């Protein structure tokens, strides 16, 4: 069963709780480019898919460590092995995914292609944590001592852009005098830890004492830079992470993380398949249902945290509106770009 795939990736089958379920959806699969133990994008995706499978009473196949290249062959094998839904959990899979869905008839969920919807076959979950990023920006502007913060990204996909813009808008709303430096490691440098270290070090040297980092594997290089460099005023540099929770790895530099829980998204996909609504709309995460929230660490100033949580309540109530901006040009208009 899936011999070729087993030779190259880690594969596991997790059984959901025994329950009555519709015959047309009894097995889902998630495909990730890196291992589901990265405290970030891959782990949150795998954990959420397992939780959604348990909640809906289906089996799940986890195909992890597939890399960022061509995934057509493993997708064909997963389809042949009985997957009723394949979650292609990487923006680099959004070309192969629709092709394999059309070829095999197995529905595929992709990211970063909101216009690629095909009813019954292709759904998109270009998620945005912009509300949480806005709050992180407010927190950063309250706590910076140098008056400069940095955004370091491993690329400029829509999800990263919306969070970068949200963070910048939060900083500006809190204190328009705070300078925001923005640097891109590379066009798709998601696993480039060395690049993350190098670029983050340069942003710190330029004055930033708080780094908002979006990187997948490259975020570990960002954290190395934060841990090994002092800010220009001699203070410790703090790091704001995204998607996952790296608190267990923290050495005293993690300020917060914009945490994503994709369980409601994947659960809705399964329910939409059963209701013949798959591929008719996108999916969202938000502060309102805690699918987006900030992680509190010992480095957070208590008074600042209390004020930021009050801002969270205002966003949920509609008193503050944070609109997602998915274009790189929108981000660059809000920041000082450092190449």
């Amino acid at each position: 069963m899936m011999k070729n795939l087993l030779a190259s990736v880690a594969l596991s089958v997790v059984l959901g709780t025994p329950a009555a379920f519709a015959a047309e959806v009894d097995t889902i699969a998630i495909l990730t480019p890196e291992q589901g133990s990265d405290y970030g994008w891959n782990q949150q995706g795998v954990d959420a898919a397992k939780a959604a499978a348990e909640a809906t009473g289906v089996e799940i196949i986890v195909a992890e460590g597939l890399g960022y290249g061509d995934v057509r062959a493993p997708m064909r094998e997963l389809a042949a092995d009985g997957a009723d839904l394949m979650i292609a959990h990487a923006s680099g899979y959004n070309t192969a995914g629709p092709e394999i869905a059309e070829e095999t008839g197995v529905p595929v969920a992709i990211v970063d292609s909101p216009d690629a919807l095909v009813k019954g076959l292709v759904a998109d979950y270009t998620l945005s944590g912009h509300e949480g990023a806005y709050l992180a920006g407010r927190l950063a502007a309250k706590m910076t001592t140098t008056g400069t913060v940095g955004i370091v990204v491993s690329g400029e996909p829509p999800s990263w852009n919306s969070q970068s813009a949200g963070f910048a808008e939060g900083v500006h709303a809190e204190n328009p005098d705070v300078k925001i430096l923005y640097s891109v490691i590379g066009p798709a440098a998601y696993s480039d830890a060395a690049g993350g270290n190098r670029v983050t070090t340069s942003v710190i040297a330029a004055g930033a004492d708080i780094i908002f980092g979006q990187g997948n594997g490259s975020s570990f290089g960002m954290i190395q830079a934060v841990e090994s460099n002092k800010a220009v005023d001699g203070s410790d540099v703090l790091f704001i992470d995204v998607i996952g929770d790296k608190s267990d790895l923290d050495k005293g530099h993690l300020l917060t993380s914009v945490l994503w829980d994709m369980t409601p998204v994947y659960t809705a996909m399964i329910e939409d398949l059963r209701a013949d609504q798959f591929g008719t709309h996108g999916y969202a995460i938000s502060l309102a249902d805690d699918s987006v929230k900030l992680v509190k660490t010992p480095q957070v100033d208590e008074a600042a945290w209390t004020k930021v949580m009050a801002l969270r309540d205002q966003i949920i109530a509609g008193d503050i509106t944070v609109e997602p901006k998915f274009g790189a040009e929108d981000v660059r208009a809000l920041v000082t770009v450092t190449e």
Side-chain angles (χ1 to χ4, degrees), residues 3-187:
K3 293 181 180 178
N4 294 335
L5 185 58
L6 279 167
S8 59
V9 302
L11 181 69
S12 63
V13 178
V14 182
L15 295 180
T17 54
F21 47 78
E24 70 273 12
V25 187
D26 59 12
T27 302
I28 65 171
I30 183 168
L31 302 87
T32 64
E34 299 178 37
Q35 295 299 314
S37 55
D38 64 346
Y39 293 88
W41 171 256
N42 297 276
Q43 183 169 332
Q44 291 301 100
V46 169
D47 289 352
K50 289 179 179 179
E54 182 174 2
T56 56
V58 302
E59 295 183 359
I60 179 170
I61 303 170
V62 178
E64 54 192 342
L66 294 172
Y68 293 92
D70 189 353
V71 290
R72 289 173 177 82
M75 291 190 81
R76 290 188 182 102
E77 293 189 53
L78 287 165
D81 199 50
D84 301 303
L85 167 65
M86 291 184 281
I87 301 170
H89 194 55
S91 58
Y93 300 167
N94 60 17
T95 298
E99 291 178 5
I100 297 301
E102 180 68 29
E103 174 186 315
T104 64
V106 176
V108 174
I110 57 176
V111 296
D112 294 345
S113 294
D115 296 328
L117 303 182
V118 178
K119 184 177 181 181
L121 275 185
V122 181
D124 174 86
Y125 63 110
T126 300
L127 305 179
S128 176
H130 60 285
E131 294 175 334
Y134 174 88
L135 295 178
R138 297 290 295 252
L139 180 64
K142 287 178 180 295
M143 293 190 61
T144 178
T145 58
T146 65
T148 299
V149 300
I151 301 173
V152 178
V153 297
S154 55
E156 294 182 297
S159 295
W160 272 192
N161 293 336
S162 68
Q163 292 194 128
S164 294
F167 178 82
E169 289 177 340
V171 171
H172 288 156
E174 185 65 35
N175 186 347
D177 293 330
V178 173
K179 186 176 183 179
I180 307 170
L181 304 178
Y182 178 77
S183 192
V184 182
I185 301 168

Side-chain angles (χ1 to χ4, degrees), residues 245-317:
D245 182 359
K246 295 185 177 68
S247 296
D248 289 347
L249 309 177
D250 181 34
K251 298 178 181 179
H253 293 267
L254 181 66
L255 178 59
T256 188
S257 179
V258 181
L259 186 66
W260 293 16
D261 180 2
M262 289 170 265
T263 304
V265 171
Y266 296 154
T267 301
M269 287 180 185
I270 296 168
E271 292 172 346
D272 281 347
L273 268 175
R274 291 171 169 170
D276 195 29
Q277 293 299 309
F278 186 82
T280 63
H281 60 87
Y283 300 89
I285 51 177
S286 71
L287 296 175
D289 65 356
D290 267 349
S291 55
V292 176
K293 60 184 177 181
L294 294 188
V295 173
K296 187 180 181 184
T297 73
Q299 284 68 251
V300 173
D301 176 83
E302 285 291 344
W305 182 262
T306 298
K307 292 177 180 177
V308 167
M309 290 300 99
L311 292 168
R312 172 189 177 273
D313 293 340
Q314 291 180 51
I315 293 174
I316 293 172

